[in-house]
Amino acid sequence: MTWAPDRAAALALLHEYTAGESLRRHAYAVEAAVRGYARRLGEDEALWSVTALLHDFDYERWPSQEDHPYKGVEILTQHGYPEVVTRAILSHADYSGVSRDSLLEKVLYACDEMSGFVTAAALVRPSKSVMDLEAASVKKRMKDKAFARAVPREDLVAGAEALGLPLETHIANVIESLREVADELGLKGA
């Protein structure tokens, strides 16, 4: 039997292991950003979307570095997910020791923290919307060490560099992708 990406099955798995709305929205945001890159680069949108959707599905239950993303990869392997998916998920965690070699692996890494940072930047705007957010505003927020302090700025920069893109271009790409799902993310604004 050949495995094929199935968003409905991936979504069911995400919801089974992730009850928190915040972490679910993070998964949707990363999925949108990664899917946007798949479209731009002519890659398999379904495969890339499912991979991004599931990259942190185990985090709520097993948040430690000893367990995440390893527990999730074990579960995905039991469900028949191929190595292209599980390796990308392993590689998004710097501490896993799994290098980022494929384009999918680099894009997932680049979009993970950036999606969260862009979301935070949208939520502090008076409009509470990604629809009027600009890349320059996000880049300016990166200089404020108190803003979204848990997000390592060097990871945001390294993600863009891994894609061979200027930071502002990567930010703009993520913003554009998040706008497509702004309602689902709660980022449409008032």
Side-chain angles (χ1 to χ4, degrees), residues 7-188:
R7 186 180 190 277
L11 195 58
L13 204 53
L14 172 69
H15 288 192
E16 178 182 344
Y17 285 88
T18 306
E21 192 59 33
S22 173
L23 192 53
R24 284 182 180 185
R25 284 185 177 180
H26 171 69
Y28 306 150
V30 176
E31 176 194 24
V34 169
R35 184 178 54 242
Y37 271 105
R39 192 176 311 127
R40 280 181 194 87
L41 300 169
E43 296 291 336
D44 185 337
E45 286 185 50
L47 172 67
W48 284 35
S49 290
V50 163
T51 304
L53 191 62
L54 293 171
H55 81 285
D56 276 343
F57 87 99
D58 64 335
Y59 186 79
E60 195 172 272
R61 289 194 191 179
W62 299 287
S64 72
Q65 287 188 4
E66 291 77 34
D67 292 328
H68 167 74
Y70 310 107
K71 294 280 190 187
V73 165
E74 286 175 22
I75 294 163
L76 294 175
T77 300
Q78 291 166 3
H79 280 83
Y81 282 80
E83 185 180 10
V84 66
V85 173
T86 58
R87 190 178 194 295
I89 290 171
L90 285 170
S91 77
H92 94 278
D94 282 332
Y95 56 83
S96 74
V98 176
S99 60
R100 288 180 281 277
D101 301 326
S102 75
L103 195 50
L104 170 58
E105 292 162 1
K106 292 173 185 177
V107 168
L108 179 60
Y109 174 76
C111 291
D112 183 18
E113 295 289 356
M114 186 59 77
S115 295
F117 197 85
V118 166
T119 296
L123 289 173
V124 297
R125 296 183 64 72
S127 65
K128 303 228 183 291
S129 174
V130 74
M131 304 311 283
D132 60 357
L133 182 64
E134 298 299 327
S137 175
V138 174
K139 200 169 173 185
K140 185 177 176 184
R141 287 270 180 206
M142 286 175 62
K143 295 175 185 168
D144 179 356
K145 301 297 180 208
F147 179 78
R149 76 177 75 233
V151 178
R153 303 320 196 247
E154 60 273 11
D155 289 359
L156 300 176
V157 173
E161 288 173 352
L163 299 179
L165 294 174
L167 180 61
E168 199 153 333
T169 302
H170 177 50
I171 295 168
N173 289 343
V174 171
I175 290 170
E176 181 182 324
S177 295
L178 297 191
R179 284 177 179 162
E180 293 178 19
V181 294
D183 275 335
E184 186 177 14
L185 299 175
L187 297 177
K188 193 79 170 187

